[in-house]
Amino acid sequence: MEREFILIKPDAVQRGLVGEIIKRIERTGLKLIAMKFIQVTKEQAEKHYEIHKERPFYPGLVSFITSGPTVAIAVEGMNAVVKTRNLVGATNPKDAAPGSIRGDFGLDIGRNMVHASDSVENAKIELAIYFTEEEYKSWSPVTDAWLYE
Ligand code: IDP
Ligand code: MG
């Protein structure tokens, strides 16, 4: 079982796509283990996007991600990272496959609606930026017997 971090970005909140995005995640069978409506702080944004610090888009990215409310989500399940990244689609919506979130709802790379960690290791690091251990809920969906062999 893997854990994945997902952040519904301010553009998707503004556009009323929160439910649509959560629906797509939830119906895969991935289990929600934490979720909250938050405004990302500058400190969180700088930690989260540290790897992009030297890139020309970094200042715009930090100001965008902190510009309004977001939804931070943790999910758990089989192949959670790859499964979620496929659901989200390519970074630039112009390259994202139809059927993916970015492919279906986006146009601009700087407004691509959702973040998802790109590896199990980075998910662990990013989850720690946004959630404390007490915020995770431990529960057993009754559907598990039909989702997993
Ligand atoms: P990812 O979100 O698909 O993992 P990354 O390459 O990790 O993509 O980039 C992180 C975020 O930085 C992207 O989701 C996007 O919001 C922003 N970004 C990446 N490249 C560009 C760019 O060329 N212009 C503007 N924003 C960018
Ligand atoms: Mg990334």
Side-chain angles (χ1 to χ4, degrees):
M1 291 294 156
E2 295 177 358
R3 278 187 179 185
E4 172 68 320
F5 172 66
I6 299 160
L7 187 72
I8 302 180
K9 298 181 181 182
D11 52 334
V13 173
Q14 292 289 345
R15 293 175 58 199
L17 291 171
V18 169
E20 177 65 40
I21 292 168
I22 292 173
K23 179 181 82 178
R24 288 173 179 228
I25 296 163
E26 203 178 18
R27 71 185 181 186
T28 61
L30 289 172
K31 176 171 73 166
L32 292 169
I33 53 171
M35 177 158 62
K36 57 184 175 181
F37 192 52
I38 56 161
Q39 185 134 1
V40 174
T41 65
K42 191 155 182 286
E43 293 66 38
Q44 286 173 318
E46 284 170 353
K47 267 190 217 159
H48 179 163
Y49 286 120
E50 190 173 3
I51 190 179
H52 297 303
K53 206 162 60 190
E54 305 306 328
R55 310 284 289 278
F57 59 81
Y58 175 80
L61 178 58
V62 170
S63 85
F64 164 61
I65 210 75
T66 57
S67 68
T70 65
V71 184
I73 299 169
V75 294
E76 190 175 79
M78 184 183 276
N79 303 312
V81 171
V82 167
K83 189 77 191 166
T84 305
R85 293 278 293 183
N86 286 338
L87 216 61
V88 167
T91 304
N92 193 330
K94 85 173 157 61
D95 304 318
S100 67
I101 294 165
R102 289 167 174 170
D104 286 352
F105 301 113
L107 297 170
D108 186 331
I109 191 169
R111 297 291 182 269
N112 63 6
M113 295 163 292
V114 46
H115 168 82
S117 313
D118 62 7
S119 66
V120 172
E121 302 73 59
N122 283 335
K124 201 167 286 175
I125 293 167
E126 292 169 11
L127 283 166
I129 298 172
Y130 291 96
F131 292 105
T132 62
E133 276 309 311
E134 299 72 50
E135 288 177 300
Y136 296 105
K137 300 292 174 280
S138 176
W139 63 294
S140 302
V142 293
T143 49
D144 276 0
W146 303 99
L147 275 166
Y148 295 105
E149 188 174 26

